[in-house]
Amino acid sequence: MLRKPIEGEKKVFMTGNEVVAWAALAAGAEIMYGYPITPQNEIMHYWTRLAPRFGRKFLQTEDELSAGFTTLGGVLSGVKAFTATAGPGNTLMQEPMSMAEMMRIPSVVIIQQRGGPSTATVIYSQQEVTMTCFGGNGEGLRVVYSTASHQELFDYTIKAFNTAWKYRFPTFVLGDGYQAKMREPLEIYDPELRGIQLVDPEPYVVRPGIIGIDREAAHLRNTYNTEEELYEVISGHIRDYEAVAGEIEEYETWAIEDAEIVVVSHGVVSRAARMAVEELRASGIAAGYFRPITLRPFPVKHLREIADRVKELLVVESAYGQLQKLVQIAIYGSNASISGHLKPGVGVTAAEIVAKVTELRHGKDKGGIRK
Amino acid sequence: MNSLAQMPRCWRLASKPHKFCPGCGHGLALKALGIAIDELNIQNKVVFGCDIGCSLLAWDFFDVDTVQTHHGRTTPVIAGIKRARPEVIGIAYMGDGGGYAIGSQHLVNAASRNEKITVILINNTNYGMTGGQMAPTTLLGQKTETTPYGRTVEEAGFPTQGPEMVKAIAGENAYVARGTVANVRQLKRFFLRALEHQIAGKGFSFIEVLSSCPTNWRTNARDTWKFLEEEMTKYFKVGEIGVTAAEKEVAACPE
Ligand SMILES: Cc1ncc(C[n+]2csc(CCOP(=O)(O)OP(=O)(O)O)c2C)c(N)n1
Ligand code: SF4
């Protein structure tokens, strides 16, 4: 049986969903549990075609509750397991993920966001930010990577398994319908060749040994007798999360040093934002670019430093202020003002952002949805 | 014979005496299961999953690896473990609410996929932990907190006959039985058969256990046993389901 899915490095031209399947293989994922929903279906399609060649497994469950909980089972048994979903499936996935959060189960979930509730549209949106970062009953102790390109889908899917197993918090790769379906060039590679050490999984149950002789039986629970007992456990998780947040946080900036207005965006929208900022710079406007790569934990310190220096932030997203809220919380108390270019469920072009910034600079902003 | 008088070896002493109400059937069912685990000598290979509901009180009941999960989701957690690690012996333990109401989709689909796990479902005709509401198994005419005048067909349909349903779905592949805590010896035999079915890699096994809940039934010792042995068994037939006479004979052999 072949074990190494990718030898060396390869230039490829693929859809995002295919990229995720390759990345999960490269990361050493042993089993995928899944339930069909557009636009993530092809992750399962590619996985079911590729996985048997490398001795990996798949289970199609009856719904996303089950896909989430079977994934937790896989992880508990000590293998790298993952699932993928979108939209209403993400909603159902929040129940298992609140268990993962509380029991520190390193599950990996790929989300390819789509628009609106239930069927709504099956295409594109950035409306799953709040749910992915804070969904479920709990405190949102998760890691959420928002990717902007196929290269990042590959890189961060591999990283997600490492982050999950290293820190033991559920980890999400937040893509979207465009990333899922469009084709783009990228390099896929054997992570070890690039010095990326894959974190080994460990079983939570059925560890080697004999109970009562060389090991204790595992008693994993999420039931607590008193509020205080629960408080103590959650406080411990929060302490752990805060201690490592700085290590996990990632962001990207451009032309930020002397910027007067900074465009803040995430995911594919940041590709338009970057293009817009380049154009604005060429026309002499001191615009800058900031993109959080981790939406949870949010790179608060870095954005705050920027906000303390600049006059204005423009948040651009394909949602009605989900990123904007994170930004507002992060820079609370700073003097920078925040405006939004918020377009729930639709894409954003560079030209629109240029127009918006120009308008703001001339102090005559009127149109669009503003908070 | 003697084994019934003692605590199973795989019971965890530190968590005894257990936390179920006096007269509760959960303890007896877990005793039968404990003896079955001992007899098969599988303590190191079992992963025991318990639901929310009174079954969660079993999260530290055994000296076997245990995971307590969400209401109705024990079946997929155990199925997920088994799919990733086929050598594990997976036992999902739940109430009638957890298995027939909120988790019914998981039960139905695990059965039809023939997951090689053992599901044990405690039928006490009500939701115990939340204070005695109607369950899918509440008998017609039975009073609960949400059927204060007694369950009617018009409002709530017929009580779920789970093993019969599972057998219809899973067919030949499954080992299915209904036992009762009023006959622990027989119950243990059913558990043994179910676990052996799993160990042999044959497929799904499902055991419903008729059990008592004196707290919510508001019954004294005599009325508890009367309801369990006389009322419940009229509708819920105890025995192996869909097992041939020859197989039954083998099963009935003395221990
Ligand atoms: C999603 C969800 N809904 C409801 C509950 C509340 N709840 C806790 S236990 C329970 C009933 C359990 O009854 P059953 O499964 O029959 O087990 P028993 O307590 O009788 O052993 C319910 C509804 C919950 N914990 N989670
Ligand atoms: S409420 Fe009923 S089922 Fe729950 S422990 Fe008490 S007697 Fe047992």
Side-chain angles (χ1 to χ4, degrees), chain B residues 19-27 53-55 57 122 124 126-132 211-217:
Chain B
K19 309 173 193 91
F20 298 102
C21 307
C24 175
H26 271 286
C54 293
S55 80
L57 299 173
I122 302 298
N124 56 14
N126 76 102
Y127 282 46
M129 178 146 279
T130 39
S211 179
S212 52
C213 179
T215 303
N216 289 305
W217 293 352

Side-chain angles (χ1 to χ4, degrees), chain A residues 94-110:
Chain A
Q94 292 311 312
E95 197 201 332
M97 287 312 117
S98 65
M99 170 163 151
E101 208 178 294
M102 191 57 202
M103 295 171 93
R104 305 286 299 268
I105 303 172
S107 31
V108 172
V109 185
I110 316 295

Side-chain angles (χ1 to χ4, degrees), chain B residues 177-236:
Chain B
R178 183 186 280 116
T180 167
V181 296
N183 188 346
V184 174
R185 222 178 284 281
Q186 179 198 50
L187 184 61
K188 182 206 74 181
R189 261 201 322 270
F190 292 166
F191 286 159
L192 278 176
R193 298 255 286 156
L195 291 168
E196 279 165 353
H197 188 81
Q198 179 179 170
I199 293 164
K202 287 187 191 154
F204 195 65
S205 48
F206 179 73
I207 312 231
E208 181 186 286
V209 183
L210 302 184
S211 179
S212 52
C213 179
T215 303
N216 289 305
W217 293 352
R218 301 195 174 96
T219 43
N220 60 22
R222 201 189 56 223
D223 291 342
T224 299
W225 285 99
K226 198 164 162 338
F227 186 74
L228 176 73
E229 294 202 78
E230 291 171 22
E231 296 306 315
M232 285 172 75
T233 49
K234 271 186 216 147
Y235 188 80
F236 300 116

